[in-house]
Amino acid sequence: MNLTGVPSSLLAELRSAAVGAGVKRLAIVGGAVRDGLLHERYGRVWTGVPDLDWILEGDAMGLAAELLKRCGEQRVTELQSYGSFGTVALQLDGIALDFAMARKETYPMPGENPVVEPGSLDSDLVRRDFTINAMAQDLLSGQLIDPHRGQQDLAERRLVFLHDESVSDDPTRVIRASRYAARLGFVLSPEALQQVTATVRRWPWSWQLHDAPDQAPPALANRLRMELDRLFAGEPWALALDCLEEWQAMALLDPSLQHDRGRNRRIAWAQRLGLPLLPAWLAGAPDPEAVARRLGVPGQQQRWLKQLLQLQDWLVSADAPDLHAAPDVWTAALETQGWMPETVAFMVCSQPPQWKPLLRWWGRWRHLKSPRSARDLIADGWSSGPALGNELQRLRLEALKRSR
C-alpha cells in the first residue's frame, strides 16, 4: 500500500534504521493508513496535510540515533526529544517525523484527560477514535494490521467507534465524527449514533464541577474548542455542522445553536471578510460570550462577542443613526461609541438592516484620513494636544461628508 505523503525512499531508510536499532515494531497508524487505502482501493485522494503518526515498540531515541548515524547531520535535522514517553521529533530530508512509544490509556472520569502508560502497538490502536483510524502498516513485516475491521467499515463508508464508552469517555469524538463525515462522505453506524444520542441526552455539562456548575471539565472544554478549530480550519464546515445538527449534537456547545438558521450565512460572511469562523458561529447563541468563555476561546474573541450584544442593542436604540445617514454621521456615531472594528464586522455577518453602512465603515470609511496632517496643522500654528486631534477628526468627517 502506498502511504499518502510518504516517499518510498524515506520508508526504506526507516526500515533499515529500525532493524539496526533493534526496534520490534515500527508502524504508521491512523489517517495515513486510512487515506492510503482510500486512494489505493477507491481512488479517493485527500489533498490536505498528510496525517503521519508513527508508533514503535522500542526506543524512539535509539531509532533517531541510528538514523543520524546512517544519514548524517545534513539529512537528519531539528532532532528533539520530549515527553515522558520518549517521543522524538526530527526532520529527515526536510520531512517532519514524529516517533512515539506505543502506549495505552484509561479515563479516570468521563471528559477528563486520560491516564497514559506504556503499551503495545495493539493497545495503542485501541486508543483511537474510529475503526477506520485504528489500522496500522507495520514497516518491518509489511503487514497491514486491522484488529477492529476498519477495512470493512471503510468499504461500507461508515464511522464506527472502537468501544461502547468512546463518546462518554471523550465527547470531542462527536465533533471529530462530523469532520470525517463531511470530509469522507461517511455516515455514523446505528451503534455510533446511539452513543452520540446517549451522551447528548446527559448534556449540557453533566460532569459538573462543584465550584463551577455551568462549566465542563477544563480539559474537555479545551479539546472541544481544538476540534472546532480543526473543523473550521480545513474541513467542509457547512456539511460538518449539518451533521452535528442532524445528530442533535449542538447541545455539546449550546442548545440554542441546534436551530440556528443564520449560521451558514454568518460563517460564509466571516470567511469572506477574513474573520475567525468559530466566533461567527457562536454569535448565534443568546449569550455568545458565555459559550466562548466556556470553551476557552481566546480572550480577544470573547471581547468581540461581548461587544456584539451591546452593538446589537445600540443599533435598535434612538442613539443609532438613520439607516440612510451620511458616511460622516455613521463614522462619528460608531467611533464615539468605541466599537472595535471586528465587532462591527461580525455584526455585518449577522446581516441586520444596517449592514451596508456598517460594512462601508469597516471596509472603507474608517480608513479615510484627514486631508491635512498633524504636521500641516502645526505649521499653521496649531499646538499639539486634544484640540489638534479634534480638528483632524473634523477635517476627516468633512472629507467623508463630501465623499457620499
Side-chain angles (χ1 to χ4, degrees), residues 16 30 48 76 106 120 130 140 153 174 208 307:
S16 299
V76 177
T106 55
S120 64
F130 305 99
L140 301 184
D153 293 328
V174 179
Q208 294 177 352
Q307 269 203 351

Side-chain angles (χ1 to χ4, degrees), residues 210-223:
H210 295 299
D211 56 347
D214 192 37
Q215 297 293 314
L220 174 57
N222 288 335
R223 292 202 308 275

Side-chain angles (χ1 to χ4, degrees), residues 135-288:
M135 296 181 285
Q137 180 77 39
D138 191 324
L139 297 187
L140 301 184
S141 68
Q143 179 187 9
L144 176 64
I145 303 167
D146 180 16
H148 305 287
R149 305 196 320 170
Q151 294 175 83
Q152 180 175 335
D153 293 328
L154 206 64
E156 296 179 5
R157 302 168 62 86
R158 63 185 180 187
L159 297 170
V160 179
F161 294 114
L162 280 189
H163 57 83
D164 293 340
E165 302 300 322
S166 284
V167 180
S168 177
D169 282 344
D170 186 1
T172 66
R173 287 170 172 153
V174 179
I175 310 297
R176 208 171 308 154
S178 74
R179 290 172 46 215
Y180 288 128
R183 184 200 304 177
L184 303 174
F186 285 20
V187 299
L188 284 180
S189 69
E191 296 80 10
L193 181 58
Q194 186 176 12
Q195 279 201 52
V196 173
T197 301
T199 298
V200 172
R201 190 181 296 127
R202 296 194 297 269
W203 218 259
W205 314 117
S206 299
W207 306 294
Q208 294 177 352
L209 306 177
H210 295 299
D211 56 347
D214 192 37
Q215 297 293 314
L220 174 57
N222 288 335
R223 292 202 308 275
L224 280 169
R225 187 199 69 252
M226 291 170 64
E227 283 296 333
L228 291 170
D229 287 340
R230 294 186 185 104
L231 186 155
F232 286 115
E235 306 287 4
W237 53 261
L239 294 176
L241 295 180
D242 285 345
C243 288
L244 291 174
E245 183 173 303
E246 179 185 341
W247 304 336
Q248 301 289 306
M250 297 300 190
L252 295 174
L253 307 167
D254 192 89
S256 65
L257 297 175
Q258 182 63 41
H259 303 292
D260 177 12
R261 296 302 165 222
R263 71 157 192 253
N264 285 358
R265 179 188 61 201
R266 281 197 317 276
I267 300 170
W269 265 96
Q271 201 164 39
R272 182 183 305 176
L273 298 179
L275 299 169
L277 304 190
L278 178 55
W281 180 34
L282 300 184
D287 190 350

Side-chain angles (χ1 to χ4, degrees), residues 4 51 62 76 159 186 196 202 245 250 298 324 326 330 334 380 386 390 395:
T4 304
D51 182 9
V76 177
L159 297 170
F186 285 20
V196 173
R202 296 194 297 269
E245 183 173 303
M250 297 300 190
H324 303 291
W330 269 104
L334 288 168
D380 288 346
N390 291 338
L395 292 171

Side-chain angles (χ1 to χ4, degrees), residues 267-320:
I267 300 170
W269 265 96
Q271 201 164 39
R272 182 183 305 176
L273 298 179
L275 299 169
L277 304 190
L278 178 55
W281 180 34
L282 300 184
D287 190 350
E289 184 201 7
V291 183
R293 186 170 59 249
R294 182 190 298 154
L295 293 172
V297 168
Q300 181 68 279
Q301 296 182 18
Q302 292 184 38
R303 288 188 284 274
W304 296 338
L305 292 173
K306 180 178 181 180
Q307 269 203 351
L308 192 65
L309 292 183
Q310 299 167 350
L311 175 55
Q312 183 176 294
D313 291 340
W314 180 77
L315 286 173
V316 297
S317 73
D319 296 331

